[in-house]
Amino acid sequence: MPKVGMEPVRRKALVDAALHVIGDQGTLSVTMSDIARQAGVSAALAHHYFGSKEQLLVETVRSLLKQLRDDTVTELRAAATPRDRLSAIVRVSFQADQFAPETIAAWLAFYSEAQRSEETRRFLVIYARRLHSNLVANLKQLCVADDAQRIAEGTAAMIDGLYIRRALGSSPVTAEASIALTDDYITLNLNACQTQKDAA
Amino acid sequence: MPKVGMEPVRRKALVDAALHVIGDQGTLSVTMSDIARQAGVSAALAHHYFGSKEQLLVETVRSLLKQLRDDTVTELRAAATPRDRLSAIVRVSFQADQFAPETIAAWLAFYSEAQRSEETRRFLVIYARRLHSNLVANLKQLCVADDAQRIAEGTAAMIDGLYIRRALGSSPVTAEASIALTDDYITLNLNACQTQKDAA
DNA sequence: TATTTTTGATTGATCCATCAATCAATAAAA
DNA sequence: TTTTATTGATTGATGGATCAATCAAAAATA
């Protein structure tokens, strides 16, 4: 069975497996065996390719982030106006795969891990910054810079908040409802800015 | 030293210690020894009083929630109008002790734990529900029921979101800024509702 | 009051399970 | 035969839980 060129295949399989198991159990204290079993290989092989559990986890956050970024890029390409792009950013955050319970659980676990792992925190900060600057860039074309900053902050918070509330599975927040709430927030703020400008 | 009547004292000390250590390390995988050491007793004693680590953790969430509720009750008593009460609810969430980095880290850890522990989830759901119904009760006196539900959902999400963003320590979200953002959200929505009513 | 009994408080030592990590061995390709 | 892929077995460390044993205060008894 041992075929040459397995490395990239195994690495991907293991990262995907890690995401799956972490999302499923909702914690990073999953074992290497759990992950390896899910990937259909031995725990030893996971160590062989990643060196340590820590490293495998880092690669896993990285992949989560990459997926989000790729989705965003795709959606943004299809949007013409700044206002459309804002909606696109919001929409991506609540897209099917991002909003799946296991994915959210995984994000949550990594947020918690960020308290300890410098590297994990770095990745999550990058995500936060990217979201923020994406929002600001488009908002600036619709209102003054100060407002753009403020609205971006609020929008990002709302997105993250809707995530965490869904993680609890308490309130019946569907993806559509979440998108609507966030989009309304943006609209409401932009209108207010406009009114302000008209008055002047 | 062994005096009778230590039980309540120890229980409180251990719960406080748990909160402290969990907030500090940002994870529930702290050891019983860690907690016991912080409380100045042996790990065995912690087991003696709580039966298991699980149970000690449950008591710890409970205490976190109780503190939040007590603060809310106090603040609400001082608020006269529905609008004031809404601001009071927001203010409490970002009060000094709630917004301390260690407290947020602890909340985050428990949110993650909720994926596994039925009991922890129950507590967090209670918190979410209480926040929501507090908001709705007051919003209903200022706008129609449907809007009240929606605004409450958005407000709660924004509060939770600002929390999680602070946990990352990336964006410079002060308590004051967080309160302002959330309060503005409420004002903006209420104005929109009013405008709508005027038009009709 | 002095003495004995009981009970709550507390801990050190220990057991057992789990897990990350390592290693030596095997098997297939090149 | 050398290299790559792969694993079962093993190890060292860690941590939750248990237990027998202490110690002192309180209560009962003489």
Side-chain angles (χ1 to χ4, degrees), chain A residues 2-17:
Chain A
K3 256 189 235 169
V4 166
M6 278 289 98
E7 174 152 359
V9 177
R10 293 305 188 201
R11 291 186 86 97
K12 180 167 189 336
L14 281 163
V15 165
D16 287 350

Side-chain angles (χ1 to χ4, degrees), chain A residues 150-168:
Chain A
R150 187 177 47 79
I151 302 173
E153 203 60 58
T155 306
M158 184 161 286
I159 292 174
D160 287 356
L162 287 167
Y163 255 73
I164 211 175
R165 291 180 81 71
R166 177 164 170 93
L168 260 194

